[in-house]
Amino acid sequence: MRKLLLLLLLAITIVPVVAQRALNPDSTVTTKQQVTVKGKRIAYNATTGMQPVWDENGKTIAGLFYTYYERSDIKDRATRPLVISFNGGPGSASVWMHIAYTGPRLLNIDDEGYPVQPYGYRENPESILDVADIVYVNPVNTGYSRMAEGVDKDKLKEKFFGVNADVKYLAEWINTFVTRKGRWASPKYLIGESYGTTRVSGLALELQNSHWMYLNGVILVSPTDLGIERSGPVDAALRLPYFAATAWYHKKLPQDLQQKDLNVVLAEVETFTTDELIPALVQGGFIEDTRKKEMVTKMARYAGISEQSIRNYNLDVPTNFFWKELLRNEGYTVGRLDSRYKGIDRQDAGDRPDFNAELTAWLHAFTPAINMYLRDELKFKTDVKYNMFGPVHPWNRGNDRTGENLRQAMAQNPYLHVLFQAGYYDGATDYFNSKYSMWQLDPSGKLKDRLSWKGYRSGHMMYLRKEDLVKSNEDLREFIKKSLPKAGQPAMY
């Protein structure tokens, strides 16, 4: 008998652990947490897990991973705002704003946003959880979100991977989430970053038209072009203010400009861009020689690169070249998403950087933190890989009318306000293009009292810089409060 028991014990100890590489598409775990925001201790429930996506026949075809923060000391959810948060890519997890901007935890970085060790996270004293509950949603193949086991993944790609397909299934998902959590009465907000701005702009109209869900606000962080036309001379000209901001930061402007405040310089460059550069570029190769020389001289003055470089590109300087050229003589490149960051290439020659210096730094800081946080604090245990960037290509970008969709949603809903947030040093979705999008969003000008724009002295993820983390979250608080109607105020013109 003893020998038999010993054999059984040995058998138990050598049974291999089976890796959990598949997730239940409808499962959650909830923990009780606290955070101090603006000096006040806030208790909240953190629910993380999966909620299904169904096809038209009710079959589960995917599970979306989400994290939902809900204050536990609020009795009246009818007046409590709900913020629904998306990142971009497409193919990016909802990690960046989650643990670096609006959420109750903040990853370990220095005051300018650079990685530090040991990796980890801490409380976020600037989180908007004091004024709103928040859910961070990961579209298919991002984070832990995956298509369901047993489905034909190739056939399902067209249901998930495209501008309009993305909007359609996510609107259905939001409807289910709001219903399950009992949040139909709550004021609702969408916030998207980068491609997430395309997503939430489309969702604003889709939620209204297909789900009869009306929003109070849409927040566009580092917005894309939203399908708003700007090709040719306009596209070429709109880059210049970003070039000037970057050159100012790296002290490459003439002394008379360098000694001015950034906002003063940018105001001057913006005026030149709209009043002089765009009309000049419209003339193409028929511009008078003296006029062209004047444009070359002024562009070089504002961009911090040589007149010859600008002349070589016929005034249409590509951003790739600018990132390589500005600090070429110092042996550095500048970052695409945040030009405060420097990179080192194999050789100084060439017309584009070898890598995105800022993205490498961000992945360095974010990836350990989100994996630790979800497992250790939120208790979501799985062996599935967390996709910081997931396979979502080819992405169907056809018929992108998301800017027009947002305009139409605003026109139909007098409660709906829109806030643009942009970093001056973002070269991927640059700040002046975001201003242009806001200007062009509503040609009638009748909605401009519900459109607002805020700029920050950092890049694509402007909140990584401590000073801008404070300012941008405060701007969100003010926007939410401003867009909440007074008691009894009807949605009417």
Side-chain angles (χ1 to χ4, degrees), residues 237-254:
L238 292 179
R239 302 174 203 139
L240 184 61
Y242 156 71
F243 290 168
T246 300
W248 182 91
Y249 178 82
H250 289 289
K251 296 180 171 53
K252 294 298 179 181
L253 294 181

Side-chain angles (χ1 to χ4, degrees), residues 77-97:
R77 297 286 167 196
T79 59
R80 173 76 170 165
L82 172 66
V83 174
I84 303 166
S85 180
F86 292 95
N87 274 104
S92 172
S94 288
V95 54
W96 317 99
M97 292 194 293

Side-chain angles (χ1 to χ4, degrees), residues 191-206:
I191 182 172
E193 180 179 70
S194 194
Y195 184 83
T197 61
T198 298
R199 179 174 285 136
V200 299
S201 296
L203 278 169
L205 186 63
E206 179 70 12

Side-chain angles (χ1 to χ4, degrees), residues 416-429:
L416 182 53
H417 291 66
V418 174
L419 170 64
F420 289 74
Q421 294 185 307
Y424 294 122
Y425 307 129
D426 178 5
T429 58

Side-chain angles (χ1 to χ4, degrees), residues 42-207:
I42 294 171
Y44 63 95
N45 294 322
T47 299
T48 189
M50 313 292 291
Q51 180 183 290
V53 176
W54 298 283
D55 66 11
E56 57 274 9
N57 298 314
K59 178 184 176 181
T60 298
I61 56 175
L64 295 197
F65 178 71
Y66 71 93
T67 304
Y68 174 45
Y69 300 106
E70 183 180 63
R71 275 186 68 163
S72 53
D73 59 351
I74 300 294
K75 294 181 180 179
D76 182 12
R77 297 286 167 196
T79 59
R80 173 76 170 165
L82 172 66
V83 174
I84 303 166
S85 180
F86 292 95
N87 274 104
S92 172
S94 288
V95 54
W96 317 99
M97 292 194 293
H98 185 174
I99 60 169
Y101 189 9
T102 53
R105 294 293 181 266
L106 193 65
L107 82 164
N108 285 346
I109 48 178
D110 75 359
D111 287 353
E112 291 298 314
Y114 289 88
V116 295
Q117 290 183 325
Y119 303 116
Y121 52 89
R122 58 190 187 276
E123 289 192 3
N124 182 4
E126 310 304 329
S127 170
I128 61 169
L129 193 57
D130 58 331
V131 297
D133 295 332
I134 320 164
V135 57
Y136 299 89
V137 187
N138 295 265
V140 170
N141 280 1
T142 72
Y144 293 130
S145 298
R146 299 290 189 274
M147 293 186 211
E149 293 296 310
V151 301
D152 189 330
K153 293 181 172 59
D154 286 333
K155 286 186 177 180
L156 283 177
K157 285 181 179 179
E158 65 182 23
K159 283 186 174 290
F160 298 124
F161 303 150
V163 173
N164 296 300
D166 179 72
V167 164
K168 186 175 179 61
Y169 90 84
L170 287 173
E172 291 278 354
W173 191 95
I174 290 170
N175 184 310
T176 302
F177 178 85
V178 168
T179 300
R180 285 186 173 190
K181 302 302 181 184
R183 301 307 298 264
W184 274 97
S186 302
K188 299 171 192 68
Y189 296 81
L190 299 178
I191 182 172
E193 180 179 70
S194 194
Y195 184 83
T197 61
T198 298
R199 179 174 285 136
V200 299
S201 296
L203 278 169
L205 186 63
E206 179 70 12
L207 287 169

Side-chain angles (χ1 to χ4, degrees), residues 81 187-189 215-219 414-418 450 476-486 489:
K188 299 171 192 68
Y189 296 81
L215 305 170
N216 286 71
V218 173
I219 301 140
Y415 280 159
L416 182 53
H417 291 66
V418 174
R450 288 186 278 141
L476 291 182
R477 285 187 184 84
E478 292 178 7
F479 174 73
I480 290 171
K481 292 174 183 176
K482 176 184 176 183
S483 56
L484 289 172
K486 295 180 175 62
Q489 179 183 338

